[in-house]
């Protein structure tokens, strides 16, 4: 087991450079299966979810080569399989994108049911409804989703709820379908738009990404391409909140400020100062944290993946803030850990009442999922004394070199191997 040991109480200061977007990368990598050929993808984040996606591509027969630390070359000419094993699929949610991509390439796919963060129920009924509307026959046997179709045909699909995953999976499956596919009530997240741009650079005909309706004219042939992934909105937002929470002074580089607007607005209301530049934002805080209310919503609303980090900032507010989780039914599991650090938070279902406290106190805590881990790290940076965070593998699924980047900002953080692991190695 590995853990982070953090000595908190110091403001973060300096510059940090944001990596490529995790949620765009895990959609774009499977998309390289849609047409055989040699792809070059730049701004790939060095995180575990990307490593797993690349492993899946290799297992399916692609050749994968890192050209430098953030550029990967993928040759998907000789794909020999359409089965994604449980061993890999269970390690991340986005493994279900291989379903849409393999269906698009071969008309068949078998993908074990995905894993990922435990945020409550994570159904895939909208994915299945959409793929069936395109003509796929789907069955779930022993935890494996099997899909097959001789010819995918365009269709008009209205999603019952806004789903990032279903929107992306349907785009992947529909690009080579016959005729027109109309997707309504779709997700508008930046990574949905990034995937559409990537697919269009392969020769697809996708319009409307970033709005509620996406229209896809199926094409017979796609080709390999070169592409650079957008910066990670959530990684950027995490450093923005870390800067505000520690009374820091941080410039966050390689960002698209437009993607950060909902976070910027809430931070300003909470008392931080945020200056926007072309591809950077600068965050400081000198005054108190103001109480605010936050509700997570699909883009362009406040992102659910920033909810735990924002809650940490609000534990320091003067007064009571209300945080409402509008996407997931169980995304407050980290609150117990935060309360062990002195936070005063009552959770009732999907609503958290956050009573501001004078200070957070260092404590040993456990990351319950990826963004919960980021939130606890921010809390540890704020709290005087030494905190330890266990189960950091969650954090490393989605944050590139978070220790190194935080250290460059002056944080005292180190990663250590815990004794029980040493013992396990010795046995
Ligand atoms: C993606 C993100 C995740 C983020 C979430 C919401 C990736 C790899 N992950 O997850 O970090 O927290 O968007 O912004 O991009 N739903 C259904 N049926 C379905 C699919 C979803 O009812 O078939 C519901 C879910 O239970 C949830 C809501 O729709 O309540 C949103 O889920 P969705 O947008 O699909 O999340 P993911 O794509 O899994």
């Amino acid at each position: 087991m590995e853990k982070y040991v953090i000595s908190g109480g110091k403001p973060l200061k300096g510059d940090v450079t944001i990596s490529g977007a995790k949620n765009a990368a895990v959609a774009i990598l499977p998309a390289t299966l849609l047409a055989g050929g040699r792809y070059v993808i730049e701004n790939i984040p060095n995180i575990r979810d990307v490593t797993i996606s690349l492993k899946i591509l290799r297992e399916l027969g692609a050749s994968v080569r890192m050209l430098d630390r953030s550029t990967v070359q993928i040759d998907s000419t000789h794909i020999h399989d359409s089965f994604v094993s449980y061993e890999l699929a269970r390690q991340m949610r986005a493994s279900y994108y291989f379903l849409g991509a393999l269906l698009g390439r071969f008309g068949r796919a078998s993908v074990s049911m995905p894993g990922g963060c435990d945020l409550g129920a994570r159904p895939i009924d909208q994915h299945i409804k959409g793929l069936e509307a395109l003509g796929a026959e789907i069955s779930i046997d022993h935890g494996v989703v099997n899909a097959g179709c001789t010819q995918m045909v365009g269709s008009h699909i209205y999603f019952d709820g806004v789903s990032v995953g279903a929107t992306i999976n349907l785009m992947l499956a529909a690009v080579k379908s016959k005729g027109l596919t109309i997707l309504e009530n779709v997700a508008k997240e930046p990574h949905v738009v990034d995937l559409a741009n990537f697919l269009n650079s392969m020769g697809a005909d996708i319009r409307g990404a970033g709005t509620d309706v996406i229209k896809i004219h199926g094409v017979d042939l796609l080709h390999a391409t070169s592409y650079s992934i957008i910066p990670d909105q959530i990684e950027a937002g995490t450093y923005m909140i870390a800067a505000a929470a520690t009374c820091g002074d941080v410039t966050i580089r390689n960002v698209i400020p437009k993607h950060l607007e909902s976070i910027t607005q809430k931070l300003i209301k909470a008392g931080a100062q945020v200056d926007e530049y072309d591809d950077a934002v600068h965050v400081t805080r000198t005054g108190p944290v103001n109480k605010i209310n936050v509700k997570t919503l699909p883009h362009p609303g406040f992102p659910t993946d920033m909810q735990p980090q924002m809650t940490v900032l609000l534990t320091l507010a003067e007064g009571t803030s209300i945080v409402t989780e509008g996407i997931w039914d169980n995304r407050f599991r980290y609150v117990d850990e935060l309360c062990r650090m002195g936070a005063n938070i009552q959770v009732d279902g999907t609503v958290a009442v956050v009573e501001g406290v004078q200070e957070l106190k260092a404590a040993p805590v456990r990351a319950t999922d990826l963004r919960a881990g980021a939130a606890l790290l921010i809390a540890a940076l704020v709290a005087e004394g030494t905190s330890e965070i266990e189960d950091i593998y969650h954090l490393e699924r989605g944050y590139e070199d978070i220790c190194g980047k935080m250290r460059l900002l002056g944080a005292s953080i180190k990663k250590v191997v815990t004794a029980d692991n040493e013992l396990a190695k010795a046995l």
Side-chain angles (χ1 to χ4, degrees):
M1 284 286 193
E2 291 169 326
K3 65 183 176 186
Y4 291 153
V5 178
I6 298 142
S7 296
K10 278 186 280 180
L12 296 180
K13 288 201 166 139
D15 288 19
V16 62
T17 301
I18 296 307
S19 303
K22 164 176 113 46
N23 289 348
V26 296
I28 285 172
L29 291 174
T32 62
L33 292 173
L34 281 165
R38 190 177 286 178
Y39 297 76
V40 175
I41 316 285
E42 293 172 7
N43 209 26
I44 277 276
N46 186 357
I47 53 174
R48 207 155 60 84
D49 274 11
V50 162
T51 310
I52 295 162
S53 301
L54 294 174
K55 269 191 189 162
I56 296 176
L57 284 172
R58 276 206 185 99
E59 263 201 8
L60 296 172
S63 90
V64 174
R65 192 155 73 91
M66 291 307 295
L67 300 183
D68 60 44
R69 53 184 292 286
S70 62
T71 307
V72 65
Q73 178 183 285
I74 296 163
D75 191 333
S76 63
T77 310
H78 301 294
I79 300 298
H80 52 62
D81 206 346
S82 56
F83 174 68
V84 179
S85 68
Y86 175 67
E87 187 42 39
L88 291 172
R90 75 184 172 86
Q91 297 186 45
M92 65 165 191
R93 191 75 197 154
S95 47
Y96 52 36
Y97 294 148
F98 284 90
L99 202 59
L102 286 165
L103 253 182
R105 169 98 175 249
F106 298 117
R108 63 173 195 280
S110 295
V111 179
S112 299
M113 293 288 272
C117 289
D118 179 4
L119 313 173
R122 297 192 78 165
I124 56 167
D125 57 302
Q126 297 302 304
H127 302 238
I128 291 175
K129 163 182 145 169
L131 296 174
E132 284 179 341
L134 296 182
E137 277 186 26
I138 312 246
S139 63
I140 301 178
D141 307 306
H142 306 291
V144 177
V145 186
N146 297 300
C149 189
T150 35
Q151 171 68 66
M152 309 274 277
V153 179
S155 181
H156 191 149
I157 298 154
Y158 190 97
F159 292 110
D160 300 347
V162 177
S163 160
V164 172
T167 303
I168 286 179
N169 232 342
L170 264 291
M171 283 164 65
L172 292 168
V175 274
K176 288 179 76 186
S177 299
K178 222 173 179 47
L180 174 66
T181 296
I182 301 177
L183 305 176
E184 282 204 63
N185 197 23
V186 293
K188 295 178 278 202
E189 267 66 3
H191 35 287
V192 170
V193 179
D194 207 35
L195 176 68
N197 290 338
F198 175 76
L199 292 170
N200 283 341
S201 80
M202 289 174 67
D205 183 353
I206 303 178
R207 294 170 202 198
T211 74
D212 293 315
V213 183
I214 295 178
K215 291 187 180 164
I216 304 168
H217 286 273
V219 294
D220 291 335
L221 275 181
L222 294 170
H223 53 79
T225 186
S226 296
Y227 195 77
S228 181
I229 290 176
I230 53 165
D232 197 301
Q233 172 205 25
I234 305 300
E235 188 195 15
T238 300
Y239 284 97
M240 290 169 80
I241 292 185
T246 60
C247 289
D249 184 336
V250 176
T251 301
I252 297 136
R253 300 195 183 278
N254 186 35
V255 300
I256 299 175
K258 179 100 189 111
H259 292 170
L260 302 172
E261 246 164 35
S262 61
I263 302 163
T264 300
Q265 289 311 318
K266 286 295 177 193
L267 273 178
I268 291 170
K269 275 199 169 164
Q273 194 188 337
V274 184
D275 301 307
E276 290 182 2
Y277 303 94
D278 285 349
D279 61 355
V281 288
H282 175 234
V283 181
T284 54
R285 179 171 70 85
T286 46
V289 178
N290 306 321
K291 61 179 179 157
I292 55 166
N293 295 340
V294 179
K295 178 168 184 182
T296 66
L297 289 166
H299 190 80
F302 189 84
T304 172
D305 289 354
M306 290 302 304
Q307 180 260 97
Q309 302 90 312
M310 183 54 96
T311 301
V312 171
L313 178 66
L314 298 179
T315 62
L316 305 168
E318 290 181 344
T320 306
S321 306
I322 309 284
V323 178
T324 307
E325 174 55 46
I327 308 288
W328 301 111
D329 53 21
N330 189 11
R331 199 164 200 172
F332 287 118
R333 291 193 314 139
Y334 65 91
V335 161
D336 285 346
E337 299 296 298
L338 209 48
C339 289
R340 297 178 58 242
M341 298 182 75
N344 183 356
I345 305 173
Q346 303 291 328
V347 175
D348 185 4
T350 54
V351 178
V353 179
V354 187
E355 198 81 54
V357 292
Q358 286 295 318
E359 56 173 12
L360 291 174
K361 299 185 182 90
V365 289
R366 192 175 67 81
T368 49
D369 62 62
L370 167 58
R371 307 304 170 184
L376 292 169
L377 176 48
I378 295 171
L381 291 170
V382 171
E384 291 278 351
T386 303
S387 295
E388 294 183 355
I389 305 180
E390 284 188 359
D391 290 351
I392 55 169
Y393 60 91
H394 287 296
L395 264 153
E396 298 187 347
R397 274 190 41 224
Y399 288 92
E400 178 172 326
D401 189 22
I402 194 162
C403 267
K405 290 188 186 187
M406 286 292 183
R407 268 201 295 268
L408 278 178
L409 296 175
S412 166
I413 172 170
K414 63 183 179 200
K415 182 166 151 178
V416 298
V417 178
T418 55
D420 53 339
N421 198 36
E422 289 294 275
L423 184 63
K425 274 191 209 157
L427 290 173

